[in-house]
Amino acid sequence: MARDFKHLINDVKELVSASARTAAVEIMNGLVEAGPGYSGQFSSAWYAVEPGQQAGGPRSAGGHTYKYDLRNVPAARFRSGTYYEIVNGSSYAAQALDLEDGSFRTQYDADGNILVPVKDPVSVGTRTGSKRGQGSSGAGFAVSTAPLDWYVTYTNGGALQRDLGNGVKIGFRQGPRGGNTPGTGFG
Amino acid sequence: MNYQAIRAAVENPLLSAFGALSPAVPVYFDNITAVPPNTTTEYVRVNVTFGITNEPTLTSSVDNARGAIVIRIFTEKGRGPARNQTLLTTAVGVLETLNNNTKGTTGVYFKVGEINGPTFSATEESPHFMGRIDTSYVATVLS
């Protein structure tokens, strides 16, 4: 039986909210893939928040890159008609995004063991500037796990739009009237 | 895809513009080491990055690239923002000029998006005051 038209407004609102959530998940996973990962904590600190809201800190102690799913964007916090920002809540986010000069740390733990980054380095060598991603392949041990300006490349180079589009498609497929099941459309 | 042609379409006008200033301001591009650390020499660093190439939904052309241009201006710290902003104006002027080009049959057709910034920062460690702008671009290689 066809669905009653009176449900349309609420179903559309639910669909938009679901799509925003899946888009946020896709984008946050895209940011993890594009961004740096040494301890892994930065990758776990992406949040979708309303403008002005405070993001939380890292969700994990590290040791791996974080994988986002819908549990990270609770439905109760996503309302239709509200816009959201995806922000990183780690204390060194501006450095990781190459917006501020980096403050660099030793690559050895207290016992003298080398700390292995959770992502493969994109460059190991001499530091050529004060930003996180400014290293070269010359002699030296400065490790960078994402290229310089990875964030603006993600947002401006097409990957953000791709992940947003994929997320919206997934959200619409999973929505209340998604799919092509006979008899579930509006009558 | 001719990435070098795309890079040249951005880098050459910037190099010319800053080279024409008096005194000329050195411009450093990707994979080139800038001035020695702890000097106050002013300089410009330009990073051209590539995002998605030949995105099917962009156009039917097979030679499109999208990416970002990040320009950082380093001037002496503790002397106010005026000099830095003067140099930023030169950079913004070049980016705006890139949008004036018309699409021909050869070369690179280049369009930049909105310009973000400038934002300014200075840290205790660095002897420089930094101004930063960034923008997106879409480039089509026509030959």
Side-chain angles (χ1 to χ4, degrees):
Chain A
M1 184 179 168
R3 187 167 168 80
D4 195 298
F5 201 72
K6 69 182 179 187
H7 298 296
L8 179 63
I9 299 291
N10 284 338
D11 281 355
V12 168
K13 282 182 178 175
E14 194 176 331
L15 197 55
V16 169
S17 176
S19 297
R21 291 177 67 211
T22 50
V25 170
E26 286 293 302
I27 290 168
M28 291 193 290
N29 282 326
L31 288 163
V32 172
E33 189 181 333
Y38 206 106
S39 70
Q41 290 185 25
F42 174 75
S43 74
S44 72
W46 291 105
Y47 288 84
V49 296
E50 289 183 42
Q53 277 185 341
Q54 193 75 24
R59 294 177 173 92
S60 110
H64 56 85
T65 54
Y66 195 82
K67 178 77 174 170
Y68 290 87
D69 59 35
L70 286 173
R71 286 172 293 184
N72 299 119
V73 282
R77 287 176 49 191
F78 272 74
R79 299 190 306 273
S80 179
T82 304
Y83 94 84
Y84 295 85
E85 295 174 337
I86 293 178
V87 296
N88 192 287
S90 67
S91 59
Y92 49 91
Q95 296 178 35
L97 299 171
D98 297 320
L99 300 175
E100 289 181 0
D101 286 354
S103 51
F104 305 106
R105 63 177 193 176
T106 176
Q107 290 153 9
Y108 295 93
D109 65 16
D111 299 324
N113 301 313
I114 194 159
L115 296 164
V116 178
V118 297
K119 292 184 80 172
D120 290 337
V122 296
S123 71
V124 180
T126 307
R127 200 160 287 292
T128 57
S130 53
K131 298 289 178 295
R132 177 209 57 82
Q134 289 183 305
S136 76
S137 57
F141 299 100
V143 175
S144 178
T145 53
L148 180 66
D149 297 326
W150 68 270
Y151 180 66
V152 285
T153 304
Y154 177 80
T155 56
N156 292 335
L160 170 62
Q161 292 89 336
R162 178 197 60 203
D163 291 343
L164 175 64
N166 287 345
V168 170
K169 279 183 207 165
I170 294 167
F172 267 72
R173 274 194 220 115
Q174 294 174 347
R177 300 292 95 192
N180 53 4
T181 308
T184 58
F186 289 100
Chain B
M1 176 50 67
N2 189 339
Y3 292 110
Q4 196 52 33
I6 294 171
R7 185 177 286 282
V10 183
E11 292 181 349
N12 286 344
L14 284 167
L15 196 59
S16 300
F18 283 104
L21 297 177
S22 181
V25 177
V27 184
Y28 298 93
F29 299 105
D30 291 276
N31 199 26
I32 294 176
T33 303
V35 295
N38 302 319
T39 63
T40 55
T41 310
E42 62 185 24
Y43 68 99
V44 178
R45 175 166 277 285
V46 177
N47 293 103
V48 180
T49 68
F50 296 96
I52 290 179
T53 299
N54 294 338
E55 186 180 14
T57 54
L58 197 59
T59 71
S60 58
S61 169
V62 294
D63 262 341
N64 278 295
R66 295 165 72 142
I69 304 164
V70 184
I71 301 174
R72 294 182 173 91
I73 309 277
F74 296 86
T75 53
E76 190 172 351
K77 191 166 70 178
R79 290 179 172 256
R83 176 61 178 162
N84 200 292
Q85 290 184 166
T86 300
L87 298 181
L88 278 166
T89 303
T90 300
V92 169
V94 170
L95 293 177
E96 288 173 344
T97 306
L98 288 172
N99 274 347
N100 295 339
N101 295 330
T102 54
K103 192 171 186 177
T105 54
T106 60
V108 175
Y109 179 59
F110 206 95
K111 285 285 179 190
V112 299
E114 63 183 13
I115 296 168
N116 299 310
T119 56
F120 300 99
S121 65
T123 58
E124 284 183 22
E125 294 79 18
S126 169
H128 285 114
F129 177 68
M130 186 190 78
R132 178 188 190 278
I133 56 172
D134 68 72
T135 186
S136 60
Y137 71 79
V138 178
T140 306
V141 178
L142 299 162
S143 56

